[in-house]
Amino acid sequence: MSKYIDNISLAIETAREKLASASSAAELENARVSLIGRNGAFTALGKDLASLPSEERPDAGKALNAAKEEVLALINVLSAKIATASNLGEKERAEDLTLPGRKWKIGRKHPVNIVIDDCVRIFRRMGFIVAEGPEIETVFHNFDALNTPYDHPSRDTADTFYFADGRLLRTQTSPVQIRVMEKQEPPVRIVAPGRCFRRDTPDATHSANFHQIEGLYVDKDVSMADLKSVLLQFARELMGQDVNIRLRPHFFPFTEPSVEYDFSCVMCSGKGCRICKHSGWLEISGAGMVNPAVFSNIGYDPEKWSGFAFGMGIERIAMIRYKITDIRLLYENDGRFLNQFVNIH
Ligand code: DAH
């Protein structure tokens, strides 16, 4: 009897050691098999029970069961421990509190978006709301309804990207004027910022893909003086209160009369410098009084309504404002360039 009990004690001792040294699920399983598997130490002890004298068997059996239970309990505890340890990430298992922290890079606005948002903010304060139109346009909206002559060079396939179905990538934001007037009755006060496309070969001042912001104001008795005051107010809020504007006669099919407008040079305050090519003025874009033909095209009564429109290039304004000399910098997504706009808004 005592010999058998000694064997159990020995087996338990070995079992504790074996289990304690198991550090993975596989090692634990090997230990389990060698203890209570088919050929395991405890299984062998169970078989030995039969050869004991019958009066010793009950106590020996109890001792063996108690030993097996302890082994099973140990295995359960260890397997739970190993499972949690392998669920921990690299970081929790080996945390080095002396490492410097990781800095998160924060996204920021692209200069084109900074200018768009500033323009929109200024026009909204003057009572304009934002309108949108599709970038894939119909010839009707981009050219016909805007009174563009059929032989106008801007319609040429050398200047405009056409799709096989006859639609095109809008060459200007002016078609948004048409989209808005088709949908609503006057009064209209909208600005429409957006992406435009032209078949231009990229160079320092041209890109096949650029942005404009369009404006349209329709009401009763709108005059050129209204247009001029809106443009002047806009120029001063965007560039500074000492900026002046000037209008020069020009031609656009959708406005009559049409003008091009300039801001006084913000670099030299109009004295003349390299940026303004010594003229004292920076060309911004076009504007004018809405051509009555455009009103007729979309069903507004030209006898009753009058209006002005303007459009300007966002990149042009960004280049002036941030002294950028090559438009391509705006599309290269080079962090060294874009990170310079860190603290602006
Ligand atoms: N759409 C013209 C362009 O891309 C700019 C323009 C001129 C827009 C006069 C207007 C306008 O609304 O009245 O060159």
Side-chain angles (χ1 to χ4, degrees):
M1 159 82 181
S2 70
K3 176 86 173 101
Y4 187 80
I5 300 284
D6 283 351
N7 283 347
I8 292 178
S9 309
L10 207 67
I12 275 271
E13 210 64 36
T14 326
R16 287 195 191 119
E17 271 171 34
K18 263 193 185 165
L19 291 173
S21 67
S23 58
S24 68
E27 283 173 25
L28 185 63
E29 175 61 8
N30 281 341
R32 189 191 67 80
V33 169
S34 75
L35 297 168
I36 53 173
R38 201 182 316 146
N39 299 314
F42 285 84
T43 320
L45 281 168
K47 284 176 192 158
D48 291 348
L49 263 185
S51 54
L52 290 181
S54 58
E55 65 277 12
E56 289 185 15
R57 260 181 246 154
D59 284 346
K62 263 188 213 156
L64 181 62
N65 279 342
K68 274 194 230 111
E69 260 167 42
E70 180 180 339
V71 170
L72 272 175
L74 263 178
I75 291 175
N76 283 341
V77 169
L78 281 172
S79 97
K81 244 192 195 168
I82 287 171
T84 1
S86 64
N87 279 341
L88 293 179
E90 191 81 353
K91 215 170 117 212
E92 288 113 322
R93 265 186 272 145
E95 192 134 16
D96 181 352
L97 297 176
T98 64
L99 284 174
R102 293 197 185 99
K103 258 199 183 167
W104 292 92
K105 291 221 164 129
I106 295 174
R108 49 182 68 98
K109 274 197 220 167
H110 189 279
V112 164
N113 284 327
I114 296 174
V115 171
I116 289 179
D117 289 353
D118 283 353
C119 293
V120 165
R121 196 166 30 240
I122 296 167
F123 285 119
R124 279 169 69 101
R125 275 215 302 275
M126 289 193 253
F128 290 79
I129 59 167
V130 173
E132 281 181 21
E135 289 170 3
I136 299 176
E137 262 299 6
T138 63
V139 171
F140 173 78
H141 291 91
N142 197 82
F143 291 127
D144 299 349
L146 287 163
N147 199 37
T148 313
Y150 286 105
D151 56 355
H152 196 277
S154 65
R155 290 181 182 250
D156 202 289
T157 52
D159 286 314
T160 298
F161 293 106
Y162 285 93
F163 292 90
D165 65 4
R167 289 183 303 165
L168 48 75
L169 287 176
R170 68 177 177 197
T171 60
Q172 49 190 354
T173 43
S174 305
V176 183
Q177 292 188 32
I178 304 300
R179 297 241 166 223
V180 169
M181 290 190 285
E182 278 175 335
K183 266 200 314 235
Q184 77 173 74
E185 289 299 311
V188 174
R189 273 158 219 191
I190 58 104
V191 283
R195 193 181 285 254
C196 307
F197 308 83
R198 283 182 202 174
R199 230 181 229 279
D200 277 332
T201 309
D203 62 21
T205 53
H206 293 86
S207 163
N209 173 343
F210 57 98
H211 299 75
Q212 291 186 335
I213 184 165
E214 190 81 14
L216 175 68
Y217 187 114
V218 183
D219 210 328
K220 287 183 178 140
D221 303 322
V222 180
S223 75
M224 198 91 177
D226 299 319
L227 168 63
K228 191 172 179 188
S229 76
V230 164
L231 289 178
L232 179 63
Q233 173 85 356
F234 169 74
R236 291 192 167 159
E237 294 214 19
L238 190 72
M239 297 293 194
Q241 290 303 320
D242 49 354
V243 167
N244 269 316
I245 64 164
R246 76 172 178 186
L247 309 182
R248 289 174 288 110
H250 199 74
F251 172 80
F252 294 103
F254 34 88
T255 41
E256 181 58 37
S258 301
V259 295
E260 273 198 326
Y261 54 94
D262 306 335
F263 292 175
S264 58
C265 182
V266 284
M267 312 294 170
C268 60
S269 306
K271 287 195 251 341
C273 68
R274 199 174 54 85
I275 304 291
C276 60
K277 299 188 190 108
H278 303 283
S279 70
W281 296 95
L282 297 165
E283 284 178 26
I284 299 296
S285 192
M289 303 309 292
V290 179
N291 193 320
V294 172
F295 283 152
S296 301
N297 286 341
I298 50 88
Y300 280 9
D301 181 355
E303 296 297 324
K304 190 166 163 198
W305 303 107
S306 48
F308 63 75
F310 56 85
M312 55 190 101
I314 298 294
E315 282 81 353
R316 169 101 178 120
I317 293 174
M319 289 171 77
I320 293 170
R321 195 187 210 192
Y322 302 122
K323 304 186 177 66
I324 299 166
T325 49
D326 193 320
I327 195 172
R328 289 168 292 195
L329 284 166
L330 291 167
Y331 304 109
E332 283 165 357
N333 275 344
D334 184 335
R336 290 168 300 180
F337 171 76
L338 294 176
N339 287 339
Q340 297 177 55
F341 302 90
V342 176
N343 290 322
I344 306 173
H345 304 291

